Amino acid sequence: MTFRVTQEALRSYVRFAERGRVVVLDTETTGISRDDEIVQLAAAEYVCGRLERTLDLYLVPSCPIRPEAEAVHHITMPFLVEHGIRPTEALSRFFAFVGDDVLLVAHNIRFDFRMLQNDCRKYDCEYVPDDVSFCDTIAFAKKVVPGLDHYRLGFLIEALGLAGTNSHNALDDTLACGELFLDLVRRCRQDWPDDGMEP
């Protein structure tokens, strides 16, 4: 998995956004260590640049939620016991949602994908993506709108005048990231003539 944003990668992002499938994802977790787990997993599917469907799942973890994590996302263990599902079921539903031949997008995708891999190992699930590409919107934004003070999702949404909010609810953040991704694609498209986008 590589996140180096080359000119070829930029053109790939635009092609996926305009003529293919893009799935944006976000996770909320019990913490940030390798022993921590996902408590909320959300995704949004865009087909040819249009939002088609969303997925929003709460998971019941096998470890406690760290106080510093709960202070950020406000998800509690009693809430998960009442509203959550087994991690194996959630992972299965998420991987079915993602499918194949897709661009997988997240803000700091290394973290989200590492947490997915941690849960897969812990719960003996396997994700073998077929023809899946990856985009980290932090690296994408740094390439397209360089020189900003920082690149946190909430800051970018406000600075670029986009819809959405960085609330630390996984679905909210997924939709905000989707708006950011599409805005960055539009900015790339403005710089390139139509015939320059052909493979």
Side-chain angles (χ1 to χ4, degrees):
M1 190 189 314
T2 178
F3 307 112
R4 187 165 170 262
V5 184
T6 62
Q7 195 76 355
E8 180 182 355
L10 290 174
R11 292 178 182 274
S12 172
Y13 300 162
V14 174
R15 282 195 296 271
F16 270 106
E18 294 183 346
R19 302 197 289 269
R21 289 181 64 244
V22 174
V23 171
V24 184
L25 75 107
D26 187 54
T27 62
E28 299 300 335
T29 65
T30 61
I32 60 173
S33 78
R34 291 187 178 275
D35 295 326
D36 284 300
E37 299 179 27
I38 296 169
V39 295
Q40 187 187 10
L41 177 56
E45 179 191 51
Y46 297 81
V47 179
C48 299
R50 295 176 56 183
L51 178 63
E52 292 293 331
R53 57 186 179 136
T54 61
L55 181 74
D56 187 17
L57 304 171
Y58 288 96
L59 292 66
V60 182
S62 65
C63 62
I65 302 172
R66 297 178 191 269
E68 59 271 25
E70 186 176 319
V72 171
H73 54 56
H74 307 295
I75 299 171
T76 65
M77 192 62 79
F79 175 87
L80 294 175
V81 169
E82 183 177 355
H83 300 283
I85 60 177
R86 292 178 295 110
T88 50
E89 180 185 349
L91 292 167
S92 176
R93 288 174 59 181
F94 171 75
F95 295 144
F97 184 94
V98 171
D100 300 319
D101 191 18
V102 64
L103 177 67
L104 201 57
V105 176
H107 205 67
N108 190 12
I109 197 170
R110 289 184 189 277
F111 174 78
D112 295 295
F113 207 79
R114 176 167 62 83
M115 296 308 298
L116 282 167
Q117 290 175 318
N118 287 352
D119 272 22
C120 283
R121 281 192 294 268
K122 184 172 285 190
Y123 293 103
D124 197 26
C125 296
E126 188 175 13
Y127 177 43
V128 183
D130 182 16
D131 201 15
V132 174
S133 301
F134 300 91
C135 171
D136 180 3
T137 47
I138 294 178
F140 191 9
K142 286 180 177 179
K143 186 76 171 182
V144 177
V145 283
L148 299 180
D149 290 340
H150 49 78
Y151 288 84
R152 293 191 297 271
L153 180 58
F155 177 85
L156 288 169
I157 291 297
E158 184 174 349
L160 302 179
L162 304 178
T165 179
N166 180 206
S167 69
H168 299 291
N169 170 279
L171 184 58
D172 286 348
D173 292 358
T174 291
L175 294 172
C177 185
E179 288 293 320
L180 172 62
F181 172 79
L182 293 176
D183 181 74
L184 296 173
V185 164
R186 285 190 290 268
R187 290 169 186 269
C188 288
R189 179 46 112 173
Q190 289 172 359
D191 294 336
W192 299 330
D194 288 349
D195 59 358
M197 282 306 304
E198 293 302 319

